[in-house]
Amino acid sequence: MKKATHAQTRQHNLRLILRLIYEYTPISRAEIARRSKLTPPTVSDLVEELIADGLVSEQGFGPSRGGKRPTLLAFNDTASVMIGLDLSDELFRGALIDLRGRILKQIVLPLEGRIGGAAVELVKMLVRRLVSLSNRPLVGIGVASQGVVDYHQGYVIQAVRLNWRHVPLKQILEDDFGLPVVVANDSDAAALAEFAFCQKSQVRSLVLIKVGDGVSAGILLDGKLQFGDSYGAGEIGHVVVEPEGELCRCGHRGCLETVATRRVLLQQARQIFNQRPDSLIVQRAASADQLTLEDVRFAFQQRDPYITSILERIGGYLGHELAALVCLLNVHHIYIAGHLAAFGDGFVRIIRSKLNEHCLETLANQTLVEICSRPEEITLLGGAAFLLREKLGLV
């Protein structure tokens, strides 16, 4: 092991102090020294640097403990903003996000069938628009992409639905915009966002399942994301569940993504629309082609038996796969995200029931399954969470 240089030690201590202010704001210099075990002069020196950078400010006085009242330090949530991108579905989403995970401005651009280089150009367009909207310093760009992503190199190794193979997205965006860029798998990003912005460190290990146009899992154990040896951890959407089933875009038949996605749900709901005139969805749209996910959700909440049957089948497949994850990892917290999270607790109960059928009872009883905290925003926030971790050391 090489001995840390003075510069490395200073950077480590700077991040440690910033993280304490971020977590315990407002906090005094003396309390920082006590918690960090750094000397008061070191703390004062580094705090001055953080104040000069605009990340920290002095904010009033704390109660006296027999002497002079201590000056309190507060984290400046709005000192900078981050660009977060969600490239997981047919709508590419981007947002300006503050340092506490609050979305300030958002832009949505439809993919409209773009693949390959055309999809990359759409990403650039999205970033350009967001940069033009920002009136504060930018920390960088955090990208949550579908597919298998080499997080450390910033490569999208393979994204089947975008026809991306070995796309150096980090390098492309850094060359174009001159900002730091992190690129991560969308489910990994969403899992880190749930951990960083929603659970307030109360949950140290979790699995987040995204069910939308694809199916994948982000796995976080004791605060650390699990990428796998080749960055494929959590790609459960391409586990074969029906060996003679529909051909998947990955080349195999009967993958989980062929039976448990938004596309499958809408496809089967449209069949119900055409074949079952007594279904509630017939009252919601003029034709099968105009049927939306919201129409299907309404019918499910009203206990339409035909729609409920479809959700039971989809939830059954998901519950079966989650049972395997619970038995393998023994994680007590599972969160559902993605488009199908809109179906709420009723959908969770279906998943939970199938999980119980296929999992050791002791482990199943310890496991909480619920909708994630901010299902519509969680993947956007994921890119920001990665930036906070990599650039500021706050996650």
Side-chain angles (χ1 to χ4, degrees):
M1 293 180 62
K2 292 183 179 180
K3 186 176 180 179
T5 66
H6 174 73
Q8 289 170 332
T9 300
R10 183 179 178 84
Q11 181 66 19
H12 172 270
N13 291 341
L14 197 67
R15 286 192 167 198
L16 173 60
I17 290 172
L18 184 61
R19 188 163 60 248
L20 286 171
I21 299 171
Y22 187 77
E23 292 180 1
Y24 297 104
T25 193
I27 185 173
S28 69
R29 290 170 174 82
E31 181 65 11
I32 292 171
R34 187 185 71 80
R35 288 180 178 273
S36 66
K37 296 182 171 53
L38 297 173
T39 65
T42 297
V43 170
S44 293
D45 177 44
L46 294 175
V47 163
E48 289 308 309
E49 182 173 336
L50 293 172
I51 291 174
D53 288 341
L55 290 169
V56 171
S57 60
E58 293 184 338
Q59 190 183 82
F61 299 95
S64 171
R65 294 185 177 179
K68 183 179 177 182
R69 294 175 65 192
T71 301
L72 296 178
L73 301 166
F75 184 82
N76 187 355
D77 300 349
T78 59
S80 305
V81 295
M82 303 171 285
I83 291 177
L85 302 183
D86 174 3
L87 312 181
S88 61
D89 287 315
E90 84 288 352
L91 297 176
F92 278 8
R93 302 177 186 274
L96 295 176
I97 302 167
D98 77 8
L99 300 177
R100 288 288 182 185
R102 291 182 287 257
I103 292 177
L104 307 175
K105 296 177 182 177
Q106 186 173 169
I107 295 175
V108 178
L109 296 179
L111 189 57
E112 294 179 332
R114 293 178 180 88
I115 59 173
V120 173
E121 290 303 315
L122 189 66
V123 176
K124 292 182 184 180
M125 182 188 302
L126 189 55
V127 175
R128 275 194 296 272
R129 293 190 183 182
L130 290 165
V131 169
S132 71
L133 291 174
S134 176
N135 57 6
R136 300 176 196 169
L138 288 164
V139 176
I141 305 166
V143 183
S145 173
Q146 58 184 272
V148 180
V149 178
D150 181 336
Y151 161 69
H152 293 98
Q153 298 298 321
Y155 266 74
V156 179
I157 298 171
Q158 183 179 17
V160 175
R161 285 178 280 126
L162 293 174
N163 196 27
W164 282 355
R165 278 185 175 271
H166 302 288
V167 175
L169 201 54
K170 171 183 167 70
Q171 192 65 54
I172 289 169
L173 295 179
E174 286 183 343
D175 288 348
D176 269 40
F177 298 100
L179 292 167
V181 176
V182 294
V183 182
N185 167 268
D186 60 312
S187 292
D188 290 338
L192 188 63
E194 183 72 23
F195 173 75
F197 297 127
C198 305
Q199 299 307 321
K200 303 185 186 305
S201 300
Q202 296 172 6
V203 174
R204 296 292 301 171
S205 299
L206 62 89
V207 172
L208 184 140
I209 307 294
K210 281 197 70 192
V211 191
D213 293 339
V215 186
S216 56
I219 302 167
L220 191 138
L221 303 178
D222 195 24
K224 297 178 181 179
L225 280 166
Q226 307 302 305
F227 297 110
D229 289 341
S230 56
Y231 302 97
E235 283 296 318
I236 62 172
H238 296 289
V239 173
V240 174
V241 295
E242 284 191 342
E244 304 301 322
E246 178 185 333
L247 182 66
C248 181
R249 279 175 284 196
C250 74
H252 293 130
R253 286 193 174 275
C255 292
L256 185 61
E257 287 195 1
T258 67
V259 296
T261 62
R262 177 175 63 167
R263 176 189 65 82
V264 172
L265 175 58
L266 284 173
Q267 183 183 64
Q268 294 180 3
R270 285 166 183 152
Q271 291 174 359
I272 294 296
F273 187 99
N274 290 326
Q275 297 170 7
R276 300 290 183 178
D278 55 329
S279 172
L280 291 176
I281 57 174
V282 175
Q283 305 171 18
R284 299 279 299 184
S287 69
D289 291 340
Q290 295 179 28
L291 202 61
T292 67
L293 197 68
E294 175 58 27
D295 297 329
V296 180
R297 187 180 73 88
F298 171 82
F300 177 67
Q301 291 180 334
Q302 298 300 313
R303 295 184 172 85
D304 182 298
Y306 307 112
I307 297 302
T308 298
S309 178
I310 298 172
L311 268 298
E312 285 176 346
R313 185 167 182 267
I314 290 174
Y317 281 117
L318 292 170
H320 186 274
E321 293 306 306
L322 288 185
L325 283 176
V326 169
C327 289
L328 181 66
L329 302 174
N330 190 203
V331 172
H332 289 177
H333 297 272
I334 295 177
Y335 298 96
I336 308 298
H339 295 293
L340 268 61
F343 288 81
D345 292 340
F347 186 47
V348 168
R349 283 193 291 271
I350 294 170
I351 295 172
R352 175 83 225 195
S353 175
K354 188 60 66 171
L355 187 154
N356 290 346
E357 287 181 26
H358 294 277
C359 185
L360 186 66
E361 182 180 8
T362 300
L363 300 182
N365 289 343
Q366 296 172 336
T367 305
L368 178 68
V369 182
E370 58 185 327
I371 303 297
C372 77
S373 304
R374 297 165 67 177
E376 295 182 359
E377 304 171 341
I378 200 71
T379 308
L380 266 180
L381 294 175
F386 267 98
L387 278 174
L388 281 182
R389 188 177 78 162
E390 292 302 311
K391 302 308 173 186
L392 296 177
L394 295 179
V395 177

